[in-house]
Amino acid sequence: MSSTSSSRFDLGDHVQDQDLSEEYLTSSSRDYSAGSSPLTTPALSDNEFDFDVPSENVLAEEGSIRLAPADGSEKYIMVIGGLGYIGSHTTLELLREGHNVIVVDNLSNSYKTVLKNVKMLAAHHCKVNNVAMPRLRFFRIDYRSKAMSSLLERYSKPVMAVDATSGRQVVSYQSQIAGVIHFAAYKSVIESIAQPLRYYRNNVCGLVNLLQELERFNIRNFIFSSSATVYGSKANAGKPLKEEDLVHHQVKTQNEAGETTIVEPTIEGLSCPYARTKYFGEAILADVAEADPDWRIVALRYFNPVGCDPSGVLGESPRGEPTNLFPVLTQVLKGDRSNLNVFGSDWPTRDGTAIRDFIHVLDVARGHIAALNWNSKKGNGFSTFNLGSGTGTTVLEAVRSLEQAAGREIPLSLVDRRPGDVGTCVASTERAAKELGWTTRESITKCAADLWNYVSKVALRS
């Protein structure tokens, strides 16, 4: 943006015409496909992988937006998988809330242009509200690679500490990373059935390695991207799912009559390897927190995130074949797919299609910030929270909401149920509201309107 236009920030024009220079967007020419993670990535150097987004010169050109100061003591939130669908919206909301952010993403299921759009939307927010632009740094690496250790070390400084067992002085670390949000899991139910080892390697083994590295650098504030699939066949009970429907250690809770009851760890009907990787991930985290009380870990059990930022700039655009409902609907509306397959029309629901708890992706993003804040003030040990609306919507009802937003009909094909699917899955949101102070703001109608806005703008830009 030229200096003559610095008094005006036109969102649409900026997205279409004002691309950042490539030097700010690429630190390596390599695109890592889903099957080629760089597990031997070299140690980081000052001119590889890492760059501020944007530079001071670029910000000055874009309307004199102020950067937050950086003197080596500033704190960051690390978002692993921060350019994916939920990760990018969470990164944006963190910046809007004033957090410095380090994004780690290997671009196996995302695009580097997402980084530019996140930066642009955050810069616009800061300019409108006359606040300093937080620091945004990007590292194009696989979180399982050797480079992850180098990255964590870069943002840590060695300090002397006394070992609690031996009483000897040892070298410890003090990190600028105040918390980590982990999104970098594979997430397709169907793909996990076909490629279980790939899912266990990334989602489970990768998590264990990550926790070991974080522990080494004394980073123990951790938010885990979990899933409602951990409830398994309990979802079919016909009532909202509560967090205590799945626990990993014995807990005491109160029933509806106010009586104290003991809940034992049980699992029922985990229907696919993806669900099992999320269950194992939670179990590992619960055990880690049980062994070391310094850990503050929250597992957020998502239900069905949909929608996108109302700007129409960020949306869900995976590299692979989408399997979730709304991305497939997007393909139908764009003409990339002839019709929507509705998997199962004989479920015991009001119209025969499966019931899901759809939640706006920005509500999910805000849930992560609420969890970070809770962890910083009250969190201890391992905690779980549902992120859902608490309202069940059938697949046909969701389709009709998008048809209304788009003003056009969506062709449907009724086909057999998929392996691993359940008929009903709706969240109880009482715990998140009471303890995190978090509730949803957006409706299914808003989800559909924002998604159609995104699809329309993508069509215009192409």
Side-chain angles (χ1 to χ4, degrees):
M1 185 174 291
S2 66
S3 59
T4 58
S5 62
S6 62
S7 62
R8 184 178 69 88
F9 193 99
D10 190 306
L11 204 60
D13 290 345
H14 188 85
V15 173
Q16 295 177 41
D17 302 324
Q18 301 296 326
D19 287 347
L20 289 178
S21 169
E22 276 294 298
E23 66 181 296
Y24 300 115
L25 286 178
T26 55
S27 50
S28 166
S29 61
R30 291 167 288 182
D31 269 344
Y32 301 131
S33 68
S36 60
S37 299
L39 295 180
T40 56
T41 304
L44 301 178
S45 62
D46 286 339
N47 59 3
E48 188 177 15
F49 298 117
D50 172 33
F51 47 90
D52 284 319
V53 185
S55 72
E56 285 84 349
N57 292 336
V58 172
L59 280 174
E61 292 174 3
E62 294 183 352
S64 300
I65 298 170
R66 294 179 291 116
L67 267 177
D71 60 7
S73 64
E74 70 276 8
K75 295 294 185 180
Y76 291 85
I77 301 300
M78 175 178 281
V79 184
I80 304 174
L83 297 187
Y85 173 47
I86 303 175
S88 62
H89 284 84
T90 301
T91 296
L92 175 58
E93 286 301 297
L94 285 165
L95 293 167
R96 285 170 170 167
E97 291 290 322
H99 295 278
N100 299 313
V101 179
I102 297 169
V103 170
V104 172
D105 201 301
N106 68 357
L107 303 184
S108 65
N109 197 37
S110 57
Y111 298 88
K112 62 191 178 185
T113 51
V114 173
L115 184 69
K116 175 200 67 174
N117 291 336
V118 168
K119 186 279 311 180
M120 181 269 299
L121 291 170
H124 175 59
H125 171 86
C126 292
K127 182 177 180 181
V128 168
N129 291 279
N130 193 29
V131 295
M133 173 75 177
R135 297 275 166 172
L136 172 59
R137 294 192 170 187
F138 172 65
F139 293 83
R140 185 176 174 178
I141 59 177
D142 189 298
Y143 86 102
R144 300 169 295 170
S145 71
K146 295 178 181 179
M148 194 66 183
S149 181
S150 299
L151 170 57
L152 295 172
E153 187 171 11
R154 171 177 288 194
Y155 286 91
S156 302
K157 64 179 181 180
V159 295
M160 297 306 296
V162 177
D163 183 80
T165 303
S166 66
R168 296 178 180 177
Q169 282 200 328
V170 295
V171 176
S172 184
Y173 288 94
Q174 191 174 75
S175 182
Q176 290 178 256
I177 299 169
V180 174
I181 304 176
H182 180 40
F183 291 109
Y186 300 145
K187 62 176 185 176
S188 168
V189 169
I190 298 299
E191 186 180 65
S192 77
I193 295 171
Q195 303 179 50
L197 291 179
R198 179 169 176 261
Y199 271 66
Y200 288 121
R201 183 186 183 200
N202 183 73
N203 295 10
V204 180
C205 299
L207 173 64
V208 171
N209 293 337
L210 174 63
L211 293 173
Q212 289 177 319
E213 289 296 329
L214 295 180
E215 190 170 59
R216 178 186 167 203
F217 291 98
N218 281 321
I219 303 167
R220 290 180 169 84
N221 183 1
F222 192 75
I223 310 298
F224 179 63
S225 167
S226 191
S227 166
T229 59
V230 298
Y231 291 115
S233 57
K234 293 179 182 180
N236 287 319
K239 59 182 181 180
L241 292 159
K242 296 183 177 182
E243 289 84 352
E244 54 265 32
D245 287 331
L246 175 68
V247 299
H248 298 281
H249 295 123
Q250 186 185 85
V251 297
K252 291 182 179 180
T253 186
Q254 285 190 329
N255 60 23
E256 296 177 356
E259 301 168 333
T260 299
T261 60
I262 295 176
V263 180
E264 299 286 352
T266 60
I267 55 174
E268 292 181 17
L270 296 181
S271 57
C272 63
Y274 167 70
R276 284 186 277 276
T277 67
K278 287 301 183 181
Y279 171 81
F280 292 146
E282 283 196 12
I284 290 164
L285 292 168
D287 289 343
V288 167
E290 182 78 7
D292 183 351
D294 288 338
W295 278 94
R296 291 165 293 159
I297 301 173
V298 169
L300 296 175
R301 296 170 177 170
Y302 309 158
F303 280 66
N304 295 84
V306 293
C308 54
D309 188 81
S311 65
V313 174
L314 286 182
E316 185 168 10
S317 184
R319 285 185 181 269
E321 184 73 14
T323 56
N324 292 338
L325 175 62
F326 272 68
V328 173
L329 284 171
T330 299
Q331 286 193 332
V332 176
L333 289 171
K334 289 164 58 180
D336 298 335
R337 188 186 291 245
S338 60
N339 62 277
L340 170 72
N341 287 331
V342 177
F343 296 100
S345 57
D346 57 349
W347 297 102
T349 63
R350 51 186 171 267
D351 61 21
T353 62
I355 289 178
R356 294 293 180 264
D357 188 334
F358 295 103
I359 174 175
H360 199 289
V361 67
L362 285 182
D363 281 326
V364 174
R366 295 170 191 133
H368 287 81
I369 298 174
L372 279 172
N373 293 338
W374 185 81
N375 250 359
S376 298
K377 298 174 183 177
K378 301 177 182 178
N380 60 77
F382 174 77
S383 303
T384 60
F385 295 96
N386 289 336
L387 291 187
S389 68
T391 302
T393 302
T394 70
V395 170
L396 285 183
E397 289 167 348
V399 170
R400 301 305 174 222
S401 69
L402 192 51
E403 286 180 333
Q404 184 176 7
R408 52 201 274 196
E409 188 172 321
I410 296 173
L412 303 176
S413 293
L414 302 179
V415 298
D416 292 338
R417 303 178 185 182
R418 294 178 299 186
D421 276 347
V422 296
T424 301
C425 193
V426 179
S428 167
T429 59
E430 293 177 10
R431 180 184 290 184
K434 181 179 178 180
E435 298 188 34
L436 298 183
W438 172 90
T439 57
T440 58
R441 302 179 191 175
E442 316 298 351
S443 65
I444 186 68
T445 303
K446 174 67 170 169
C447 293
D450 287 343
L451 177 61
W452 176 241
N453 182 41
Y454 170 71
V455 172
S456 301
K457 290 193 174 183
V458 167
L460 286 174
R461 289 196 290 271
S462 61

